[in-house]
Amino acid sequence: MGRLKSFYKFVLILIFAGLFQSCDFFKKIPDIFSGGDDISFCIKYTPATDNCEGRGNIFKTGKVTALIELSDGIGVDEALVNITNEQNGSIVNTMQYTVGKTLKKIYFPNIDFPTPGKFKVSVLKSDGTVVVSDVIEITI
């Protein structure tokens, strides 16, 4: 019975230690499992201030910026942004961008979504390897 009591005390200490950590600690937990690679979407990205205005996954028809943050550099000079219709799997558009091999934060501006729907946005290396992807919903 003493071992069980010690175990519960240990678990409680861990819980309280977690509660006293900053919110940044909890935001980084998914990065541990995903390797730190992430894609997000915003209405406008300003590199000088690192401001991703209107960040989210639901937007009205029009242009959106995709921002990727990688744990390591992308490793290529050219990257593709592939837009796929989530409902039927058809490729809607593929755009090519020049990037730097060592860049860990890359933005892809003015990705046009003229029609509503759910779309998978994937950033690919030129050999077709998927770097990151996520689903975006476009409304009227």
Side-chain angles (χ1 to χ4, degrees):
M1 194 59 132
R3 285 185 183 181
L4 190 58
K5 212 175 204 183
S6 296
F7 175 74
Y8 285 127
K9 284 181 185 178
F10 178 72
V11 170
L12 283 173
I13 290 170
L14 285 178
I15 290 171
F16 283 116
L19 291 174
F20 289 115
Q21 292 289 326
S22 69
C23 291
D24 288 338
F25 172 79
F26 292 107
K27 288 179 187 174
K28 291 179 183 177
I29 289 174
D31 291 344
I32 294 168
F33 299 107
S34 69
D37 298 344
D38 188 35
I39 184 170
S40 55
F41 306 100
C42 49
I43 296 169
K44 180 181 176 185
Y45 177 68
T46 308
T49 58
D50 193 27
N51 183 26
C52 192
E53 182 181 321
R55 189 181 298 245
N57 280 62
I58 301 174
F59 297 91
K60 293 188 184 279
T61 55
K63 298 187 186 237
V64 174
T65 296
L67 174 67
I68 64 170
E69 298 180 64
L70 309 172
S71 56
D72 295 319
I74 195 165
V76 293
D77 292 320
E78 301 287 330
L80 302 171
V81 175
N82 187 10
I83 313 298
T84 306
N85 184 311
E86 256 306 272
Q87 188 173 24
N88 61 24
S90 65
I91 295 174
V92 175
N93 195 3
T94 301
M95 296 146 290
Q96 185 171 359
Y97 291 88
T98 300
V99 296
K101 288 182 180 183
T102 59
L103 292 177
K104 293 182 180 182
K105 185 176 265 189
I106 306 168
Y107 69 102
F108 304 94
N110 301 319
I111 301 171
D112 195 22
F113 291 94
T115 57
K118 285 190 177 185
F119 302 93
K120 183 175 185 178
V121 179
S122 302
V123 176
L124 311 165
K125 294 181 180 183
S126 53
D127 67 0
T129 304
V130 177
V131 178
V132 288
S133 66
D134 199 0
V135 175
I136 185 172
E137 183 176 350
I138 304 299
T139 63
I140 296 176

